[in-house]
Amino acid sequence: MPWTELNWIGLVDTKTRQAPAVEMPRKTRAAAAAEAERAEPAEPAEPVESAEPEEPARPEEEQEEPEPEPEPEPPQSDHALRGLQFDEPLSWRAGKPIAVAELLRRLQALSKELREMEQEENDRTSFTKVAKELAAQGLLGHKDRGVRAWTACCLVDILRLCAPDAPYTSNQLKDIFTLLVTSILPALSDPSNAYNNQHMYVLQSLAQVKSVILLTDLPSADSLTLHLFSSFFDILSGSSTASTGEQVGKHAEYQMTAILVILVDESATLPAEVVDVIVAQFLRADPNALASGGSKAKRNGTVPAADEKQSTLLLKELPAAYNMAKTICNSCPEKMARQVSQYFNDVILEASSSSAADGAGKNHAHRRATNDKDALDDDEGPSGPTEEDLREMHKAHRLLRELWRASPSVLQNVIPQLEAELATENVQLRLLATETLGDIVSGIGAAGPPPPPTMDPSAYPPPTMTDSSNSLTSANILTTPSSPQPFFQSHPAAYNSFLSRRNDKSAIIRSAWTTGIGKILSTSAGGVGLSQSDEQVLINDLAAKLCDPDERVRLAAIKAVGHFSLRDVIVKLCSVGGVDKEGSVLGNLAARCRDRKHAVRIEGMKVLAKIWGVAAGEIASGNEEVSSMLASIPSKVFDTFYVNDMDINVLLDQVLFEYLLPLSYPPLKTKAAKAGLSSSQSKVNGNQTNGDSAKETADPDRVRTERILLLVRDLDVRSKKAFFAMQARQNPLSQYMHAFLKRCEEYNGGVMDDNEASIKSNLTRLIDWFSKSLPDPLRVSADLWKFAKLHDRRSYQLVRFCMDPNSDYRTVHKAIKEFLRRVESAPGSPVGILETLTPLLYRVSLLVYSKSHVPAIVELSGSNENSFGAAAHEVLEEISNRTPEVFKGHVKELCGLLEAQAPSDKQPNEAGAVDTLKACAGYAQRFPSEMPQDRKFLQSLVNFALFGTPPAAGKHAVTIIMAAAEKKEMYAKDLVQKCTKGFKYGSKNFLVQLATLSQLMLKAPAEVSDDNDDVVDIAIKEILLKVRAPVDTDEDSWASDDELDDECKAKLWALRILVNRLRSHSDTSTLREVAQPVFQLLNTLISKMGELSKKKDTPPNHRSRLRLLAGQLLLKLCTTRTFDDLLAPRDFHRLALLAQDSLFPVRSGFVNKLKKYLGQNKLSQRFYTIIFLLAFEPQTDFRENTVTWIRSRAKQFAHQKATVLESVFSRLLSLLAHHPDFSDSTEDLTDFSRYILFYLQPVATEDNLSLIYYVAQRVKQTKDLLAPTDSDSLYLLSELAQAVIRRYEDVHGWSMQTWPGKLRLPASLFGALPSHDAAQAIATKKFLPDEVVEQLDDIVKRRSDAQPSDASGLKRRRTSATPTSASTKHSKLPYRRNTAKSAAKSTKAKKTIRSGSPDVPSSERRRSGRVAVGKPTTYAESSDEEDEAMGGVDEGEEGAAEEDEEEDVSD
């Protein structure tokens, strides 16, 4: 801008720009006081001899010539302009320099006079001489700092007074500004400088008078401009500080900023290096750039020095140099926008040209910036930039992030360039643009995102929705997300282009995009907020990316969810639904727990469990919003237990004890254990938010117990079984661990005196056993051998502490921590050994069923606080069944509670007493000698047996009495007499009396033998054979336990009386005689669908309960070999049909009991055939769970090299041959092929398929002993099975070899053929119709392509009922409808179709499963091979977890 157009202003604007007082240096405090009075401070002079002028020396004679005295000027009139009065010379001749002290005095005098003069009231011609002398090199280059400082003060005043016509040439101005820029202004970095006031005066004058503009008109001023910018930024950054550590004042910072703004605003163009310096200041927000810096920045000298204020990342305010650059950009937006745009153009152009040259010349001298071949597998564009170019581009894009936070207006020309990068073919550039735009929209700068919110599941008190920890605001201002304006409004095109990257062909782009939208959502677009529609779009996108085909994208989505606070999870992510809603963010996250990729499963399960762990406090306090969204998370986690994958099981252990029930929860100071169960125990309210008060009043054991019960309370049935099964492992595993530790002690680190071979052999077997329960058996085995060689006896003892039922939770927790610490720090301890030992330690330790938790569980079971009552009852029951030892320290308190709660004839007991009784019953059977023997306690048990409610209380009371009482016979006889004497149906307490009699028949058979007849008469004549309730409907129905009337309950107890009498019968000689009527009764109930009355007037809901209990009791009896032999094959077939009952509660109750006993190896192999009748089960979940269970058993048998399920196939064919639905019609045969496929899918493998085929062949080589005169049905099924197996082999691409061995078929079902000719005739005869064979290809292929348990795919054909003749054998069993068409089938059909109740809905029939639509398999779901069960557990934990409440605790 021309000098004449400058808008000159006064020296100081006292209203707005008055400079603050600047502290003077210590050595000139006295001079400063004098200066305040005289306005001419006297500076200390330096000896002239020490000064060597930088200008050429003058002749010696001139140095000695005295200086002439100036002549006085005539006085001026009042109206004349004021001239400069100073007339002392400031220049000297060569060789005769002016003494420094004198020179300083003259300069100070001149400065004082000039400072007092106003711009418009002086004679400018009077400044000519002084101006010339001031511009001489003698002063500008003087050695003394004071001379230069005062000279600068005078010069800036001359420029002020002579404006707009500077009295200097261009060269003189260049010398002047060289002094100012290189000497005076840089000295401002040291506020302790003796001449700091003069330096400040120069700075202030240049800023306020704007004389610095003269610098822009100088030729070749770029270097001075660059030096000025660099100096000012260095001063404010603290790279050059005073020795005293004083900081530059805010006034100096303001004036420096004003000078730089003037230069930027008035310069026609800015040197590129200056733009680099300005832009580089924003990297002061990037700790990485401060530590390293880019190569280009180093070359240009633009790497910002480390700011002392950034010694910690917890900055409260922005660095001064950053603020200066920010002010420059905001003050000159248009000019800086052009400069910044050119800056990024240069960077991108340089990288692009380098990339093009490298691609064209095939020059691979520079290593590419990525070694991830998968990252570029989707990209077919040109090769990417070199590593150095990419570093520069990364730095440039980090600058973009920070520039958006500081000055969005300067990026108006750069954002379109970013948008263009989004469409480039180069994956690296596209990735960089995607990451940058995501951060820009989120308001995240170069320092990176804020630290994620604290999500600590072990925190106590638990976090709440209102906690500050839920916020993403950071203590560091550099990492606090901040967007000055909504990006999506100011740059909608670029934002839409960014959103379009959701469908990018490259997985790494989609991953970066997913991370970006996670940041946008969590930061609310940098704090400016999102509209509801925009937010919903991003939430739906995030949910979709959780199901992306590429695991990297799914993993990025999971990590993005993990960075949300609890409040954001509820308010944002759950806005469309919680974890139970399919397709929601949390719903898809829960699905990732079963992902095919283990890395995705790990992250997904941890994030999901962490969310629940943090939200547990809100859920416990009754927050309905949080509960509805998150309460079922544990169910989703524990459902993965059924996958039966070792990696998942290890992960599940880790998640359980690190996120759901953290070992360190609650982190409270442990108090002394409290001995009582009184209500005075400290209680922790769920809505407690005051951390200090909560910690002071909380009982750690109770707090942890409440977390356990909260977890159990919200689990669904399936997941609850899995949770209890995990805890059930502790007892058997601890026994193996005790043996392992003992063998380790004998091994003695490898040094043994004798029995070396035996000790090593025993240790090897144990290590091999443990290795099979964890992934990577070889590594596990090696780690366990190394642990044995460490031979740390303290570690052995710590593990024993963890398994000891007498250890409280605090002891167990401390033992685990010490064990892990010792093993990790032990000399020679291998890396990664804890990955093996930690899961084992979790599994053998008493972390849930701890004796420390028992008092709170018992109390909560009675009080039902926070709805924990039902969960407390369940946990108590599990403890009593699994580890009753933990009750040792509390048995007296439990018994005391029973005494206090004992009922009487007039007063009932409390509802929770039955659970306490059950817990004591389990303990009494294991440790009878430790039960109290006092009369009061035993009398309270007698009262429970006579007056307790519900009736099960009497059963458990009898169990305790018969286990612990010394006078068992007396109590037993007394109870029998009181229960039988004057017994009358409907009398008060008659149900509990029946329950008491039932248990007495089992536990005290000898004591009640004299009254057996009376008890049996009551059970049969008074209860079973009488029908008192009216029949309201003929429709088969079901009644739950709460809906049952007293008559049905009485009949159920009566059946148990008869069966328990049989179970306790000890005389083997009369056992068959005694058992025959009981078996006949139970078989009649099954065959007649629960009907015993000749009038057939039993209510339908009674019949369903009676036939279910009859089937379950038959299973119980058959767990004994003697009774199993009494169940004839035909009766067995009728029993099997309960698995196809018309009522689902009957089917599920029977099959679950069957799976329990089979899992415990209590039933013979023939009972496995019943399981395979579920091929047409309409309840998909139940069918799939059963298939999972079958796979589990098959896997276990294969591991044991047992052929149980293969040999069962012959029994299955026999069962199907005598099935009431079987006929030789094409339609029936194709249907029955489904049973065979249902068997093959979970059982058959390439290794055992030949054995199964061999069994199918052998069936055709025998005769059917159940129908000796007509075995065609058996042969027909044999050929059908062979045909299905062959096609199953073809579909899977297997190669079936001939089975080399021999296998005997069950002698009770199959007999030898009468002759060789008969066998030959049967072998050559074809029984299977060709039309059936033609359909098998399609059926097998369709069923193999579908999920193994999918019951869809075939159209149901029978829709109407046409009962067969009532005289047929099975006419009374309503298992399946029969159509008129099927009734008129070929006369070759040997079996009549079992008729059914015409009112039973077709959807609940055996074949109704054909219309059930199986859930489609997606790419991200578990594969068939992974969809295993929790089977593998030797003792059948799943079945054990399903034990009925009515089951005796001793069974």
Side-chain angles (χ1 to χ4, degrees):
M1 179 178 290
W3 181 263
T4 56
E5 296 181 11
L6 293 176
N7 181 20
W8 297 96
I9 61 176
L11 179 63
V12 178
D13 185 345
T14 57
K15 293 183 179 180
T16 60
R17 298 185 179 182
Q18 184 171 355
V22 179
E23 183 179 354
M24 298 298 293
R26 297 176 183 174
K27 63 180 181 180
T28 60
R29 291 292 173 89
E35 182 181 11
E37 296 178 1
R38 303 191 308 271
E40 286 189 12
E43 298 288 343
E46 297 183 7
V48 178
E49 294 74 15
S50 64
E52 296 182 7
E54 298 179 11
E55 60 185 3
R58 299 178 181 179
E60 187 174 343
E61 55 272 11
E62 292 182 6
Q63 296 180 12
E64 296 176 355
E65 183 178 335
E67 298 179 2
E69 296 183 3
E71 298 180 0
E73 297 181 2
Q76 302 178 358
S77 59
D78 295 339
H79 62 276
L81 294 176
R82 178 184 176 187
L84 182 64
Q85 301 299 316
F86 180 82
D87 59 354
E88 297 182 72
L90 296 175
S91 60
W92 59 90
R93 296 176 181 177
K96 292 186 178 181
I98 303 174
V100 173
E102 177 61 21
L103 186 58
L104 285 173
R105 184 193 64 77
R106 295 177 187 180
L107 289 172
Q108 290 173 7
L110 176 59
S111 176
K112 179 181 179 182
E113 184 176 355
L114 292 174
R115 200 176 295 189
E116 293 174 352
M117 298 179 72
E118 298 296 334
Q119 187 178 22
E120 303 297 335
E121 301 176 0
N122 55 73
D123 181 8
R124 297 187 180 185
T125 59
S126 63
F127 303 141
T128 304
K129 178 186 176 184
V130 173
K132 181 179 179 181
E133 291 179 333
L134 288 172
Q137 285 297 322
L139 293 178
L140 295 180
H142 201 281
K143 181 179 179 181
D144 186 76
R145 294 179 299 169
V147 172
R148 294 196 303 270
W150 283 108
T151 300
C153 291
C154 295
L155 283 170
V156 295
D157 279 332
I158 291 294
L159 294 177
R160 174 178 62 85
L161 295 172
C162 294
D165 300 318
Y168 297 110
T169 65
S170 294
N171 290 335
Q172 288 175 322
L173 283 174
K174 181 177 180 181
D175 294 339
I176 291 171
F177 276 101
T178 299
L179 169 67
L180 299 179
V181 171
T182 61
S183 178
I184 302 303
L185 295 179
L188 288 167
S189 62
D190 185 6
S192 63
N193 190 296
Y195 300 99
N196 189 64
N197 283 349
Q198 286 70 41
H199 302 156
M200 284 295 302
Y201 182 79
V202 172
L203 175 70
Q204 183 174 272
S205 178
L206 291 174
Q208 295 180 353
V209 181
K210 298 188 178 180
S211 52
V212 73
I213 295 177
L214 293 170
L215 179 61
T216 64
D217 295 331
L218 298 178
S220 304
D222 289 356
S223 61
L224 288 176
T225 303
L226 176 60
H227 196 287
L228 180 62
F229 274 81
S230 299
S231 297
F232 279 3
F233 283 121
D234 287 344
I235 290 171
L236 293 188
S237 67
S239 59
S240 54
T241 57
S243 58
T244 60
E246 292 185 61
Q247 298 292 330
V248 177
K250 288 293 183 181
H251 179 63
E253 178 183 340
Y254 171 78
Q255 301 295 351
M256 291 179 189
T257 305
I259 289 174
L260 299 188
V261 169
I262 293 170
L263 286 175
V264 173
D265 192 41
E266 299 299 336
S267 298
T269 59
L270 279 177
E273 293 81 0
V274 173
V275 177
D276 287 350
V277 171
I278 296 174
V279 174
Q281 305 313 310
F282 294 102
L283 283 179
R284 297 186 185 277
D286 185 2
N288 296 326
L290 291 176
S292 59
S295 59
K296 179 179 178 181
K298 290 178 181 178
R299 293 195 302 267
N300 295 336
T302 59
V303 178
D307 196 326
E308 287 183 357
K309 294 181 180 179
Q310 287 184 288
S311 58
T312 173
L313 291 181
L314 299 179
L315 294 182
K316 302 299 182 182
E317 60 183 14
L318 293 170
Y322 179 101
N323 280 329
M324 180 185 286
K326 177 180 177 181
T327 303
I328 293 172
C329 291
N330 288 329
S331 300
C332 312
E334 295 183 1
K335 181 167 291 187
M336 288 303 300
R338 292 194 299 270
Q339 301 292 344
V340 170
S341 177
Q342 185 60 43
Y343 173 84
F344 286 102
N345 269 333
D346 294 342
V347 174
I348 296 173
L349 181 61
E350 181 180 347
S352 301
S353 60
S354 173
S355 173
D358 182 61
K362 302 295 182 183
N363 179 12
H364 298 283
H366 294 286
R367 182 172 58 88
R368 293 290 132 200
T370 178
N371 292 324
D372 187 1
K373 295 181 180 180
D374 294 335
L376 301 176
D377 56 2
D378 298 327
D379 183 65
E380 299 297 336
S383 57
T386 63
E387 187 171 326
E388 180 179 354
D389 294 331
L390 198 59
R391 278 202 305 267
E392 290 302 315
M393 294 195 68
H394 273 289
K395 190 187 79 170
H397 285 73
R398 289 200 304 273
L399 281 173
L400 282 181
R401 294 169 168 88
E402 200 60 42
L403 279 170
W404 176 262
R405 285 163 50 93
S407 181
S409 58
V410 303
L411 297 181
Q412 55 186 338
N413 299 327
V414 180
I415 297 300
Q417 299 178 43
L418 267 181
E419 183 181 355
E421 285 185 13
L422 287 173
T424 183
E425 285 296 318
N426 187 279
V427 176
Q428 294 168 328
L429 297 182
R430 207 160 71 245
L431 173 63
L432 195 54
T434 303
E435 293 173 339
T436 301
L437 277 175
D439 284 349
I440 285 177
V441 180
S442 305
I444 295 173
T454 302
M455 297 280 282
D456 184 8
S458 63
Y460 185 82
T464 65
M465 291 281 287
T466 57
D467 280 352
S468 59
S469 60
N470 285 321
S471 175
L472 273 179
T473 56
S474 172
N476 183 357
I477 191 173
L478 298 179
T479 58
T480 299
S482 174
S483 182
Q485 60 191 38
F487 182 87
F488 41 84
Q489 292 180 4
S490 55
H491 300 281
Y495 181 68
N496 290 330
S497 297
F498 168 75
L499 292 183
S500 68
R501 289 304 96 198
R502 64 166 67 89
N503 298 322
D504 196 282
K505 63 182 180 180
S506 172
I508 61 169
I509 304 297
R510 298 199 304 274
S511 298
W513 185 86
T514 302
T515 302
I517 66 169
K519 294 177 182 178
I520 294 172
L521 286 169
S522 62
T523 63
S524 296
V528 298
L530 290 163
S531 67
Q532 185 175 0
S533 59
D534 289 338
E535 184 177 87
Q536 195 57 56
V537 168
L538 294 181
I539 291 174
N540 292 337
D541 287 336
L542 182 59
K545 291 309 167 190
L546 284 165
C547 298
D548 191 270
D550 194 281
E551 72 262 21
R552 290 170 292 183
V553 183
R554 302 199 297 274
L555 193 59
I558 293 171
K559 292 180 179 179
V561 174
H563 283 79
F564 281 77
S565 65
L566 173 60
R567 180 176 180 80
D568 285 344
V569 168
I570 299 299
V571 175
K572 297 178 182 178
L573 300 186
C574 293
S575 60
V576 295
V579 71
D580 291 322
K581 183 172 182 180
E582 186 176 357
S584 66
V585 173
L586 293 187
N588 289 345
L589 177 61
R592 299 286 64 76
C593 294
R594 301 175 70 94
D595 198 277
R596 292 176 300 172
K597 300 296 182 179
H598 188 55
V600 180
R601 291 197 298 256
I602 291 175
E603 194 67 25
M605 196 179 295
K606 286 183 177 180
V607 170
L608 194 66
K610 183 186 295 184
I611 291 174
W612 184 88
V614 174
E618 290 285 357
I619 296 174
S621 65
N623 188 319
E624 290 297 331
E625 181 182 18
V626 178
S627 297
S628 62
M629 299 297 176
L630 308 180
S632 53
I633 284 179
S635 296
K636 305 296 183 182
V637 172
F638 285 110
D639 191 61
T640 61
F641 187 71
Y642 293 91
V643 176
N644 198 30
D645 180 87
M646 291 184 180
D647 288 308
I648 291 182
N649 290 342
V650 170
L651 175 61
L652 194 55
D653 291 325
Q654 179 185 359
V655 165
L656 175 60
F657 295 117
E658 294 180 12
Y659 296 98
L660 298 177
L661 301 175
L663 295 181
S664 57
Y665 179 83
L668 304 175
K669 294 182 179 179
T670 307
K671 300 178 181 180
K674 298 183 179 182
L677 293 175
S678 64
S679 59
S680 62
Q681 289 178 321
S682 300
K683 297 181 180 180
V684 181
N685 295 326
N687 58 355
Q688 221 167 356
T689 58
N690 187 321
D692 294 336
S693 61
K695 290 183 179 181
E696 290 175 0
T697 60
D699 176 8
D701 291 332
R702 183 186 177 91
V703 171
R704 183 169 180 81
T705 302
E706 289 180 349
R707 173 69 72 90
I708 295 173
L709 296 180
L710 176 66
L711 177 71
V712 174
R713 184 191 71 183
D714 295 332
L715 288 175
D716 59 27
V717 175
R718 176 182 169 92
S719 299
K720 194 176 294 183
K721 292 176 183 177
F723 174 77
F724 286 140
M726 290 177 64
Q727 311 315 312
R729 295 177 308 186
Q730 190 276 333
N731 193 22
L733 286 177
S734 63
Q735 297 176 14
Y736 279 95
M737 182 58 70
H738 278 296
F740 172 70
L741 296 178
K742 183 179 180 181
R743 297 294 179 262
C744 286
E745 290 174 335
E746 295 174 352
Y747 184 66
N748 196 29
V751 180
M752 294 155 282
D753 296 333
D754 50 10
N755 297 328
E756 180 175 349
S758 175
I759 293 173
K760 285 185 176 181
S761 175
N762 292 334
L763 187 56
T764 299
R765 285 198 300 270
L766 287 168
I767 289 177
D768 290 344
W769 189 89
F770 279 115
S771 300
K772 294 172 184 176
S773 64
L774 295 175
D776 195 355
L778 294 178
R779 178 185 173 183
V780 174
S781 178
D783 287 343
L784 291 178
W785 275 111
K786 291 173 183 177
F787 174 74
K789 291 177 181 178
L790 289 177
H791 194 51
D792 183 6
R793 294 185 179 275
R794 175 61 179 171
S795 296
Y796 301 159
Q797 186 58 43
L798 291 172
V799 176
R800 290 188 175 103
F801 284 147
C802 296
M803 299 184 293
D804 188 359
N806 294 320
S807 297
D808 58 18
Y809 181 77
R810 176 173 178 261
T811 301
V812 174
H813 184 206
K814 290 177 64 178
I816 291 176
K817 290 196 298 183
E818 183 181 348
F819 174 84
L820 298 179
R821 186 171 59 250
R822 289 182 66 89
V823 172
E824 187 176 25
S825 60
S829 178
V831 178
I833 190 173
L834 290 184
E835 295 180 11
T836 296
L837 296 180
T838 302
L840 290 177
L841 194 59
Y842 284 162
R843 294 178 183 183
V844 302
S845 301
L846 282 168
L847 297 173
V848 176
Y849 298 161
S850 171
K851 77 171 191 177
S852 301
H853 303 150
V854 172
I857 294 174
V858 173
E859 182 178 348
L860 290 169
S861 67
S863 65
N864 198 31
E865 181 181 339
N866 291 333
S867 302
F868 288 152
H873 293 160
E874 291 180 278
V875 175
L876 271 180
E877 179 181 349
E878 285 295 317
I879 294 176
S880 65
N881 290 335
R882 305 298 178 189
T883 54
E885 298 90 344
V886 301
F887 286 129
K888 276 189 177 181
H890 309 283
V891 64
K892 292 183 179 180
E893 288 81 359
L894 290 173
C895 296
L897 282 177
L898 291 177
E899 290 180 13
Q901 298 175 358
S904 64
D905 187 25
K906 298 180 180 180
Q907 181 179 357
N909 56 272
E910 296 181 6
V914 66
D915 299 290
T916 307
L917 277 169
K918 189 168 187 178
C920 285
Y923 183 82
Q925 292 183 98
R926 293 283 297 276
F927 309 101
S929 61
E930 298 184 14
M931 296 296 295
Q933 298 293 329
D934 57 285
R935 183 176 179 182
K936 183 179 180 182
F937 171 66
L938 293 175
Q939 184 59 45
S940 65
L941 294 178
V942 171
N943 289 347
F944 274 112
L946 296 175
F947 313 114
T949 55
K955 182 182 78 169
H956 299 312
V958 170
T959 301
I960 300 174
I961 293 174
M962 302 312 298
E966 294 180 354
K967 300 179 180 180
K968 299 179 179 62
E969 182 178 356
M970 181 191 71
Y971 283 108
K973 290 184 176 181
D974 182 58
L975 286 173
V976 170
Q977 291 178 1
K978 289 182 179 180
C979 290
T980 56
K981 185 177 181 180
F983 178 87
K984 183 178 180 182
Y985 174 86
S987 62
K988 188 177 181 181
N989 302 317
F990 82 102
L991 286 177
V992 70
Q993 293 173 7
L994 289 174
T996 298
L997 290 174
S998 170
Q999 197 68 357
L1000 286 172
M1001 298 297 284
L1002 179 66
K1003 297 294 183 181
E1007 288 81 355
V1008 299
S1009 57
D1010 295 340
D1011 300 299
N1012 268 346
D1013 294 340
D1014 294 338
V1015 175
V1016 172
D1017 287 344
I1018 291 174
I1020 297 178
K1021 296 179 181 180
E1022 295 293 328
I1023 305 297
L1024 289 174
L1025 297 181
K1026 290 185 179 181
V1027 178
R1028 297 175 175 86
V1031 180
D1032 297 331
T1033 177
D1034 292 334
E1035 182 179 354
D1036 207 2
S1037 62
W1038 175 265
S1040 64
D1041 291 342
D1042 296 333
E1043 299 170 341
L1044 276 182
D1045 55 29
D1046 287 349
E1047 181 182 359
C1048 186
K1049 291 179 181 178
K1051 289 183 177 181
L1052 297 180
W1053 285 113
L1055 282 179
R1056 292 188 181 93
I1057 289 175
L1058 299 178
V1059 172
N1060 284 345
R1061 174 174 174 263
L1062 181 58
R1063 291 170 61 198
S1064 62
H1065 191 79
S1066 58
D1067 188 358
T1068 56
S1069 61
T1070 60
L1071 182 60
R1072 181 176 294 271
E1073 179 183 352
V1074 174
Q1076 193 64 37
V1078 177
F1079 269 79
Q1080 183 178 357
L1081 174 65
L1082 297 177
N1083 288 326
T1084 301
L1085 284 172
I1086 293 174
S1087 62
K1088 294 185 177 182
M1089 302 300 293
E1091 183 64 79
L1092 283 179
S1093 173
K1094 294 181 179 180
K1095 298 180 180 180
K1096 301 181 181 180
D1097 54 355
T1098 304
N1101 58 351
H1102 290 194
R1103 293 200 303 266
S1104 60
R1105 295 300 297 252
L1106 287 171
R1107 68 175 180 265
L1108 170 61
L1109 183 60
Q1112 291 177 332
L1113 292 176
L1114 274 176
L1115 293 177
K1116 184 186 290 291
L1117 288 172
C1118 288
T1119 58
T1120 302
R1121 177 64 181 273
T1122 304
F1123 295 135
D1124 186 25
D1125 295 338
L1126 295 178
L1127 186 64
R1130 294 185 183 278
D1131 295 331
F1132 176 83
H1133 288 173
R1134 282 194 291 268
L1135 174 66
L1137 293 178
L1138 277 180
Q1140 295 179 321
D1141 194 272
S1142 61
L1143 295 176
F1144 175 68
V1146 176
R1147 298 196 302 271
S1148 61
F1150 175 73
V1151 172
N1152 286 336
K1153 182 69 72 174
L1154 175 64
K1155 289 193 295 185
K1156 171 196 167 181
Y1157 290 142
L1158 287 173
Q1160 295 174 340
N1161 296 321
K1162 291 183 177 181
L1163 289 173
S1164 61
Q1165 297 179 5
R1166 64 171 174 167
F1167 284 90
Y1168 279 102
T1169 58
I1170 301 176
I1171 297 294
F1172 299 105
L1173 293 183
L1174 268 66
F1176 293 94
E1177 170 59 47
Q1179 296 292 332
T1180 304
D1181 291 341
F1182 182 60
R1183 184 180 65 251
E1184 290 179 349
N1185 292 344
T1186 302
V1187 171
T1188 299
W1189 183 87
I1190 297 172
R1191 279 206 190 96
S1192 167
R1193 302 302 296 170
K1195 191 174 182 179
Q1196 183 177 350
F1197 287 136
H1199 177 70
Q1200 297 172 351
K1201 301 185 184 305
T1203 58
V1204 174
L1205 294 182
E1206 292 86 352
S1207 60
V1208 159
F1209 189 52
S1210 62
R1211 292 184 177 274
L1212 176 61
L1213 294 179
S1214 174
L1215 176 61
L1216 295 177
H1218 296 277
H1219 195 284
D1221 288 343
F1222 180 75
S1223 74
D1224 60 359
S1225 68
T1226 301
E1227 193 171 3
D1228 269 350
L1229 290 175
T1230 55
D1231 283 350
F1232 270 67
S1233 67
R1234 290 274 303 280
Y1235 288 109
I1236 299 172
L1237 275 174
F1238 186 77
Y1239 166 85
L1240 292 175
Q1241 284 167 336
V1243 174
T1245 65
E1246 188 174 9
D1247 296 330
N1248 68 1
L1249 190 64
S1250 58
L1251 173 58
I1252 298 173
Y1253 187 76
Y1254 169 78
V1255 172
Q1257 288 179 315
R1258 286 279 291 120
V1259 168
K1260 195 177 178 182
Q1261 301 168 7
T1262 62
K1263 68 176 180 180
D1264 187 354
L1265 293 184
L1266 300 183
T1269 60
D1270 190 359
S1271 301
D1272 288 358
S1273 297
L1274 197 61
Y1275 303 150
L1276 186 58
L1277 280 170
S1278 173
E1279 289 189 2
L1280 178 65
Q1282 294 177 54
V1284 171
I1285 293 171
R1286 285 194 297 268
R1287 281 150 184 80
Y1288 194 80
E1289 173 196 20
D1290 295 338
V1291 168
H1292 287 79
W1294 294 343
S1295 177
M1296 184 170 58
Q1297 304 297 325
T1298 303
W1299 177 255
K1302 292 184 179 181
L1303 188 70
R1304 296 184 61 183
L1305 300 184
S1308 60
L1309 300 176
F1310 305 99
L1313 292 173
S1315 64
H1316 176 74
D1317 293 339
Q1320 187 67 26
I1322 294 172
T1324 56
K1325 182 179 179 180
K1326 184 177 181 181
F1327 292 87
L1328 187 64
D1330 292 336
E1331 54 268 24
V1332 175
V1333 177
E1334 293 173 357
Q1335 297 182 32
L1336 286 181
D1337 288 331
D1338 182 60
I1339 294 174
V1340 174
K1341 187 176 186 305
R1342 246 189 309 157
R1343 302 307 305 169
S1344 299
D1345 290 341
Q1347 288 185 349
S1349 58
D1350 185 8
S1352 63
L1354 292 179
K1355 183 177 178 181
R1356 183 178 181 274
R1357 61 182 175 87
R1358 292 173 171 81
T1359 57
S1360 61
T1362 304
T1364 57
S1365 172
S1367 62
T1368 57
K1369 185 177 187 180
H1370 304 292
S1371 60
K1372 305 247 181 219
L1373 300 179
Y1375 291 110
R1376 178 178 130 187
R1377 295 175 184 267
N1378 180 26
T1379 62
K1381 178 179 178 181
S1382 62
K1385 287 181 181 178
S1386 171
T1387 56
K1388 293 181 180 180
K1390 298 165 293 306
K1391 300 288 183 180
T1392 57
I1393 305 302
R1394 189 184 301 270
S1395 65
S1397 173
D1399 295 329
V1400 178
S1402 60
S1403 61
E1404 294 187 1
R1405 292 305 179 189
R1406 179 165 54 259
R1407 294 193 180 181
S1408 60
R1410 304 173 191 172
V1411 299
V1413 179
K1415 184 178 179 182
T1417 303
T1418 62
Y1419 63 90
E1421 297 295 338
S1422 299
S1423 62
D1424 294 342
E1425 290 74 11
E1426 293 174 320
D1427 188 21
E1428 297 296 341
M1430 62 179 181
V1433 181
D1434 292 339
E1435 298 301 323
E1437 287 85 349
E1438 179 185 14
E1442 297 168 351
E1443 183 175 1
D1444 296 333
E1445 291 184 0
E1446 300 169 353
E1447 188 73 26
D1448 187 81
V1449 292
S1450 63
D1451 294 348

